Amino acid sequence: MNVYLTFDIEIWCNGWSDLDRTFPPAFDRYVYGRSAHGDYALPKTLDILNRHGLRGVFFVEPLFATRFGLKPLQTIVQLIRGAGQEVQLHLHPEWTDEALVPLIEHCQTKRQHLSHYTLDEQAALIGHGRQLLEAAGAGPISSFRAGSFAANRDTFAALQRNGILLDTSLNRCHAISAPELRAAHDFDAPFTEHGVTTFPVSVFRDGLGRPRPAQVGACGAAELREALHDARAAGQSHFVIVSHNFEMLRPGASTPDWIVVRRFEQLCAFLGSNPTEFKVG
C-alpha cells in the first residue's frame, strides 16, 4: 500500500491587525520552533523523516511572501529541499488582501476559503502561488492542497488551467471540503475531476465509531498503525496522512509537545521498519 506523509507548511500571526510586528516572531515559531530542547518545527520533522529513511511531501503556503517578500519563503524551501524532501503548493487565500500589489481584482475584503473565489480568481491565485514557490527554488510544482481542505469543483478546473494535475485537497470530515462532489464520490479513494487526480485524506473509524482523519496531531500512534494495517488488509492502494509544521509544538508556544513528538517518532519508526508492507513516498 502506498502511504503518503503530507505536511502543510504555513505561518499564522494570531490576527491580521499588526502583521509587520507579529510576523517575525510568528515565522520563527512556525518555521523553527526554537526551544531549550532544540528546534521542533520544520527542523525536527525533517530530522525524524530522514533518520527513518522516509520521504514526505511538504505543501508550502507561499502567499505571505506577497506581503513580506521572497526571502522568508526561500528559507522554508531551502530547509525542505536541503533535507532531500519535496515541496509542493498549499494555498491559504486569507493572505490575498494583504498583498502589497493586488493579485486579483476586488480583493479588498478578506475571504477565508479558496471555494469563496470564482474559477478565474482561483486560477489566478494558484498561478501566483506556483510562481512564488518556483521563484523560491522549489522546482516544478505538480501537486496541490487547498487550505482548510476548502476546495470545490472549480478548484480542479483552476488546477488544470495551471497544469497541476495532482491534488490532495479533500477531507470528508470537513463540511467545507467540496460538498458538491460528495454525491458522486465517497472520498475514500482517488478519483479524477477536470483531468486532475485527487487523493483524499484517509479517514478511519476510531474506538467510538466516529470518523477521524489520519492526522498526526489528532490520532494516537496505535490508532494510526491499526488504521494502516486495516486499510491494507481491506485492499486499499493509497493512504494519506496529514501533519503540519507546528504539530510537535504546544499550542501558542515553541516548547515541544512530547506526546506528539513521541507519536510522530513511533509512526515513522513503524513505517520505516515495514517497507514491504508500506511504500512511503
Side-chain angles (χ1 to χ4, degrees), residues 108-125:
Q108 290 75 29
T109 58
K110 197 170 293 294
R111 286 179 274 170
Q112 182 178 2
H113 297 309
L114 194 59
S115 56
H116 295 164
Y117 294 76
T118 67
L119 169 56
D120 288 343
E121 289 172 335
Q122 289 192 44
L125 292 174

Side-chain angles (χ1 to χ4, degrees), residues 86-231:
E86 181 179 352
V87 174
Q88 295 294 344
L89 176 59
H90 188 43
L91 215 61
H92 273 281
E94 298 99 309
W95 284 101
T96 300
D97 63 312
E98 306 294 345
L100 299 181
V101 177
L103 303 178
I104 56 174
E105 295 182 358
H106 313 300
C107 61
Q108 290 75 29
T109 58
K110 197 170 293 294
R111 286 179 274 170
Q112 182 178 2
H113 297 309
L114 194 59
S115 56
H116 295 164
Y117 294 76
T118 67
L119 169 56
D120 288 343
E121 289 172 335
Q122 289 192 44
L125 292 174
I126 289 168
H128 283 299
R130 182 183 63 183
Q131 291 167 11
L132 286 165
L133 278 180
E134 291 178 350
I141 297 302
S142 60
S143 59
F144 176 79
R145 174 176 284 151
S148 303
F149 307 106
N152 62 6
R153 182 178 277 112
D154 283 346
T155 304
F156 298 100
L159 288 169
Q160 185 187 51
R161 286 190 190 180
N162 281 279
I164 299 174
L165 302 182
L166 290 173
D167 172 82
T168 180
S169 292
L170 302 183
N171 185 331
R172 64 180 171 90
C173 291
H174 289 246
I176 192 70
S177 194
E180 73 274 30
L181 297 179
R182 296 183 185 227
H185 305 283
D186 60 15
F187 288 20
D188 285 329
F191 63 90
T192 299
E193 180 72 26
H194 284 290
V196 177
T197 301
T198 185
F199 291 74
V201 173
S202 294
V203 175
F204 63 93
R205 296 235 173 236
D206 66 14
L208 297 176
R210 301 168 302 191
R212 186 182 298 191
Q215 182 168 337
V216 172
C219 306
E223 284 182 309
L224 288 169
R225 288 196 301 270
E226 186 174 351
L228 284 159
H229 277 308
D230 287 352

